[in-house]
Amino acid sequence: MESLSDLDRRLISELRRDGRAPVAALAQRLGVSRATVTKRIDKLTAAGVIVGFSVRIRDPREVGEVRAISCIELFGRPTSHVIAELRGYPEITALHTTNGAWDLVAEISCTDLQEFDSLLTRLRGVKGVMNSETSLLLSSVVR
């Protein structure tokens, strides 16, 4: 797909705000027709720019989640083996490869501190994990 147009960027922004917004409402906010919105969503989806739609929940503090980011340094085993094992951890909601001092960044969501502590113990015990640094997420100021 060619680079994103201003309309594409505005549409993506609106969808990030409310992925369930009706096409008619999106069209009105963007000042274009419903057909244009539908066509752009279809094109962005086909090009892999939009890879899915999801449900967002209330502020995690309201539902009692403990959220964190863990930076992970690997040694020995190939990254793919560690990724394969960490994929099986339901508390890891997203896993990213990265450059720099850390090899992986994991987004974590646990029901309480006891589950969080257990996860960290398991994560640090994975063969190939040399070091990790984990920070609790206290509040989200931009989503």
Side-chain angles (χ1 to χ4, degrees):
M1 178 177 185
E2 69 276 357
S3 63
L4 296 178
S5 68
D6 179 60
L7 176 59
D8 293 333
R9 285 187 188 86
R10 292 186 304 132
L11 175 57
I12 290 168
S13 177
E14 289 295 330
L15 289 170
R16 282 184 174 147
R17 257 189 287 269
D18 181 3
R20 292 178 38 142
V23 171
L26 291 169
Q28 183 178 21
R29 286 184 221 149
L30 297 170
V32 297
S33 70
R34 289 181 299 182
T36 298
V37 170
T38 300
K39 180 180 173 184
R40 296 312 303 167
I41 289 173
D42 290 346
K43 190 171 184 180
L44 291 166
T45 302
V49 174
I50 295 176
V51 295
F53 297 85
S54 64
V55 173
R56 289 179 32 201
I57 60 170
R58 293 181 279 157
D59 186 319
R61 290 173 293 169
E62 293 178 32
V63 294
E65 286 181 323
V66 175
R67 296 180 312 132
I69 296 290
S70 185
C71 299
I72 304 165
E73 183 180 8
L74 305 178
F75 76 97
R77 289 183 87 183
T79 303
S80 59
H81 291 185
V82 175
I83 290 171
E85 182 158 348
L86 294 180
R87 267 194 183 125
Y89 287 34
E91 304 90 347
I92 296 179
T93 59
L95 189 61
H96 312 275
T97 58
T98 185
N99 65 334
W102 303 105
D103 299 299
L104 298 171
V105 174
E107 296 179 37
I108 298 169
S109 178
C110 297
T111 57
D112 55 33
L113 287 174
Q114 185 176 1
E115 182 181 60
F116 178 68
D117 183 43
S118 174
L119 169 71
L120 290 182
T121 300
R122 287 184 291 132
L123 187 140
R124 292 175 179 148
V126 171
K127 288 183 182 177
V129 172
M130 181 166 72
N131 188 21
S132 68
E133 181 177 308
T134 304
S135 297
L136 290 173
L137 299 175
L138 302 177
S139 64
S140 296
V141 294
V142 174
R143 280 194 164 182

